[in-house]
Amino acid sequence: PYFSRARGLSSGLQSAEGRAWSTAHRIQYANWSGRFQDALILNEELRKLNLEIRSPYFDIFQHFTQGLILCALGRTEEAEQSLRNGLKRVEQGDDTFWRPRFLNSLGWVYAEEGDYEKALRLNMESLKGALDSGDPETIHNARINLGENHLALGNLTEARDILEKTWEEVKTPGVFYSKWRYKTRLFLALAELYTGMGERKKGFAFLRKALDLAERNGARRHQARALLLKGRFLRKTRPAEGRKCLERALRLSEEMGTIRLSHRIRKEITRLDSQGAGA
């Protein structure tokens, strides 16, 4: 509501800069809450505003958020192009802050496409730059990405090492930018790790934390991911409950238009149904 009020107030300004700032914040809100189509529309609005302002910051920001939104929607080729275009602009400006963030996001694009080795290389490069910058958000996101890459590759020892170290740092008290977001992602990764290592009780404890944070903050994509994991974990022991979780996850994913996530959820439902047919 406050972002909307700010947008209304900025509409009466002669300068486009006030409108651009409120639009940028609304893009972030729409992206975080899984309203990706709204975020795309707002991102285009920001691009047009910046034709007047000609701000290097908004130019880079618009390419960065465009890449994130398109990747979430499963449009990975377009996402990669937007991020690479932004990376070229970063080289002419604030390289220390933006470069690791773009590399992180490109790593996510390749992970979505199943190229985990390439994602791993990009996220390692991102982490190096993030450590040089000292920015906690970028550092933790890079480490979580690396942990997720190792999980996908079956490298459980490497995943445990980096994710547990990250958790030791993240649980330290203090206010950090977007901590709830990377904390939710970390809980999801730890849930998958411990369940994969046979520590189901520990895995479910982190899954409950992830689902609670996602629901409390209205982060629908994280919520869908948590429900997908829960459905997968319950597939053999409590298939009826697992199916309900998967169906909820699918509804959320379809509402958001997240194509690749929906595909993964449908595959899990098919596996569950096949298991029932086999029995």
Side-chain angles (χ1 to χ4, degrees), residues 100-143:
R101 295 166 74 91
F102 273 97
L103 292 173
N104 248 351
S105 301
L106 280 168
W108 178 36
V109 169
Y110 285 113
E112 285 290 291
E113 292 179 339
D115 192 344
Y116 298 109
E117 294 286 359
K118 196 164 187 175
L120 195 65
R121 289 195 296 273
L122 282 163
N123 289 318
M124 286 175 69
E125 190 180 348
S126 169
L127 179 58
K128 184 178 181 300
L131 289 168
D132 290 340
S133 76
D135 175 48
E137 184 209 8
T138 316
I139 291 168
H140 294 319
N141 275 316
R143 285 177 173 159

Side-chain angles (χ1 to χ4, degrees), residues 214-253:
E215 289 176 344
R216 188 154 23 105
N217 289 296
R220 293 191 298 164
R221 188 172 179 278
H222 287 156
Q223 189 179 347
R225 282 189 61 204
L227 288 166
L228 167 59
L229 276 182
K230 189 173 181 181
R232 185 183 296 159
F233 295 164
L234 294 173
R235 182 167 58 87
K236 291 184 178 178
T237 55
R238 285 177 277 170
E241 188 180 339
R243 198 178 210 290
K244 286 179 183 177
C245 291
L246 293 171
E247 287 171 351
R248 280 180 62 202
L250 186 59
R251 281 196 300 274
L252 278 169
S253 184

